[in-house]
Amino acid sequence: MILPVVKYGDPVLRKKGVAIEKVTPEIKRLVDDMFETMYNAAGVGLAAQQVGQALQLTVIDVRAVKDRPSRMEIAGKVVDVAEHMPLVLINPKITPFGDPTKGPEGCLSFPEVYADITRPDSVEVEATNAEGKTVRFKAGGLLSRAVQHEVDHLNGILFIDRMTSETKAEIKDEIDALQAETKELLKKKKK
Ligand code: ZN
């Protein structure tokens, strides 16, 4: 089922996700719905907060992006990224490392907003997958950026928080309008 994507201005985007104790059938269904929602919106990642659930859960698939390479390493060996997609990361713990690298980012909760964000170019990840198993890998390139962006969501952090003040000033009107629109929509829903 395609779920509505929560837009900036909805307080759930600022909530830290609760850890998932067990991969229940409900969680599996949510994972399926999140993938359907993400593919439908042509996104590379989606966090539970973006479908209104403050949980430590995100889904990622970088295969559709051909012009921005990703790297992945498991147990010290470089692996084929496509073979390990899509990713379900439950309760992820990450350690970003490497040179700060600037790259373009968008977010399904901020339609039409794109900006350069600087993040460490690599990341080490430990998480539980949809089968309840522990997965560990290192990622670089787009995959690293996607993991860092999504794990930020799980902690209530948004990409606008990572923008330089100059970039944020440039898009201020756009995001203020989006926030006002979302709040108006939420008000209507409550009535
Ligand atoms: Zn996002």
Side-chain angles (χ1 to χ4, degrees):
M1 190 173 68
I2 294 168
L3 305 169
V5 177
V6 168
K7 304 294 187 314
Y8 178 58
D10 190 316
V12 74
L13 290 177
R14 288 303 189 184
K15 278 193 190 151
K16 190 177 159 66
V18 174
I20 293 171
E21 306 270 318
K22 196 166 175 274
V23 185
T24 59
E26 288 73 29
I27 293 293
K28 285 196 173 182
R29 182 173 314 153
L30 178 60
V31 166
D32 289 345
D33 288 346
M34 283 171 66
F35 274 123
E36 211 180 324
T37 304
M38 180 184 83
Y39 292 131
N40 176 63
V44 300
L46 189 69
Q49 277 81 349
Q50 292 180 281
V51 292
Q53 307 253 9
L55 294 169
Q56 291 290 322
L57 163 65
T58 178
V59 298
I60 292 172
D61 192 341
V62 295
R63 281 176 296 185
V65 182
K66 304 292 180 200
D67 58 339
R68 298 168 65 198
S70 291
R71 295 185 309 278
M72 197 173 185
E73 228 178 80
I74 298 176
K77 281 197 183 125
V78 175
V79 297
D80 184 349
V81 174
E83 276 176 20
H84 293 272
M85 295 293 124
L87 285 173
V88 176
L89 303 178
I90 296 168
N91 306 331
K93 298 277 172 285
I94 66 165
T95 313
F97 67 98
D99 294 334
T101 307
K102 198 154 93 170
E105 276 181 38
C107 179
L108 295 179
S109 296
F110 293 79
E112 312 296 320
V113 178
Y114 299 92
D116 279 337
I117 311 285
T118 300
R119 300 183 187 269
D121 70 358
S122 303
V123 68
E124 199 169 344
V125 185
E126 183 178 317
T128 300
N129 68 12
E131 284 73 50
K133 290 198 177 118
T134 302
V135 290
R136 288 185 191 89
F137 62 91
K138 281 181 188 166
L142 176 65
L143 180 57
S144 164
R145 184 170 291 281
V147 167
Q148 293 182 59
H149 178 114
E150 296 313 325
V151 172
D152 270 353
H153 271 299
L154 305 187
N155 293 310
I157 298 166
L158 300 170
F159 79 149
I160 51 171
D161 307 337
R162 304 268 186 206
M163 288 175 191
T164 61
S165 46
E166 289 83 3
T167 306
K168 221 178 155 184
E170 275 169 32
I171 60 157
K172 189 181 181 301
D173 290 351
E174 229 174 314
I175 60 173
D176 282 355
L178 175 62
Q179 188 177 39
E181 194 186 315
T182 304
K183 286 193 169 158
E184 201 53 43
L185 217 82
L186 289 173
K187 237 192 257 169
K188 273 186 199 154
K189 259 195 214 162
K190 269 187 196 152
K191 274 179 192 163

